[in-house]
Amino acid sequence: MTGFLLERGRAMPRVLLVLTSHGQLGSTGIATGVGLQTFASPYYLLTEAGIDVQVASPMGGQPPVDPLSFGDGVETAALRRLSADKEAQSLLEHTMALPAVDSERYDGLFFTGGHGGMWDLPENESAGHLISAALSADKPVVAVCHGVAALCSPDPVTGHAPVKGRRVTGLSNREEVLLGRHQSVPFLLQDRLTSLGAVFEEAAEFSSHVVVDNQLITGQNMRSADQASRALLAVLNRS
């Protein structure tokens, strides 16, 4: 268990997990949604560290789940635990609508993965405001796998994406090709991040890889969710 060091009298830190609401892979008719591993890992690591975790999505309510969350080689202990956890399941069924979220109530943001995020997280005004407010207040912002698409949303003040001039990672072009979805997504995440001025870093395909650039933490793929969550805890411990 990861310990979180709380000062006496300090309020419990609160982190917002943001999930996609989009459930179809473009016009293919193929189901997509949240990469459930990228929810389960931060949820358990953060709650067991004494952090209040809340959940939101662009539309609110129950988000769709990406079928790629399940199968040989991808299911995790946290994911199996989630399937029997009524409290966590209730959070997933009743996510807050992103436009209604008050950024000042949170000490950190975590954008989870899943192909659905490629449609409803980029150019998302609410996500852009939340990310801008967090980074301006020196609060950590984490995004993993396709959740990194949220960082393509422009800052409401500067008009630039928050990745400009920053070191980041996310699902690589090569990984998208290996998943067979490079022709179905609206854009390739690596290409979009680079075009927005990010310094993109990648490791071996489907290996855990996390890049920390001050308060901005990004994970390359769903296997990076655990490492990214621990990096978030390290930042919160220093706050």
Side-chain angles (χ1 to χ4, degrees):
M1 182 180 297
T2 303
F4 191 91
L5 303 178
L6 293 178
E7 297 176 2
R8 182 170 296 178
R10 178 183 173 187
M12 177 185 292
R14 181 180 291 124
V15 168
L16 182 71
L17 300 188
V18 182
L19 289 62
T20 180
S21 294
H22 188 85
Q24 182 171 306
L25 196 66
S27 59
T28 64
I30 298 172
T32 187
V34 179
L36 212 52
Q37 302 95 327
T38 65
F39 167 81
S41 285
Y43 176 75
Y44 288 114
L45 280 167
L46 294 172
T47 54
E48 289 179 356
I51 293 174
D52 178 13
V53 173
Q54 298 186 9
V55 188
S57 61
M59 295 179 62
Q62 185 164 13
V65 174
D66 195 323
L68 292 182
S69 300
F70 308 102
D72 293 340
V74 297
E75 290 196 27
T76 63
L79 187 59
R80 290 189 290 272
R81 179 178 175 184
L82 180 66
S83 65
D85 188 332
K86 293 183 179 179
E87 182 176 353
Q89 291 290 344
S90 179
L91 277 177
L92 283 173
E93 291 171 6
H94 304 95
T95 68
M96 297 178 288
L98 206 54
V101 171
D102 180 1
S103 62
E104 294 186 1
R105 299 185 63 238
Y106 299 95
D107 300 290
L109 305 174
F110 194 115
F111 289 86
T112 64
H115 275 88
M118 293 288 282
W119 279 267
D120 63 358
L121 292 181
E123 309 300 326
N124 186 299
E125 184 176 353
S126 297
H129 278 279
L130 284 171
I131 293 166
S132 175
L135 293 176
S136 295
D138 205 30
K139 296 177 181 179
V141 174
V142 185
V144 297
C145 198
H146 291 101
V148 179
L151 302 177
C152 297
S153 300
D155 185 294
V157 176
T158 68
H160 298 299
V163 296
K164 185 177 182 181
R166 290 180 177 265
R167 296 168 47 248
V168 301
T169 190
L171 197 81
S172 68
N173 289 352
R174 176 65 177 161
E175 287 171 317
E176 198 71 89
V177 169
L178 290 173
L179 288 171
R181 295 190 166 185
H182 57 292
Q183 295 181 327
S184 302
V185 291
F187 56 87
L188 291 176
L189 184 56
Q190 179 178 349
D191 287 351
R192 176 65 64 86
L193 292 166
T194 301
S195 73
L196 292 171
V199 179
F200 190 88
E201 301 180 4
E202 61 181 300
E205 292 86 0
F206 306 116
S207 63
S208 178
H209 176 59
V210 168
V211 174
V212 179
D213 188 320
N214 294 321
Q215 300 299 93
L216 186 61
I217 302 167
T218 48
Q220 183 170 320
N221 49 53
M222 63 183 180
R223 290 195 172 97
S224 308
D226 187 275
Q227 185 181 349
S229 302
R230 295 180 188 281
L232 172 59
L233 283 173
V235 172
L236 290 172
N237 265 318
R238 295 196 299 266
S239 300

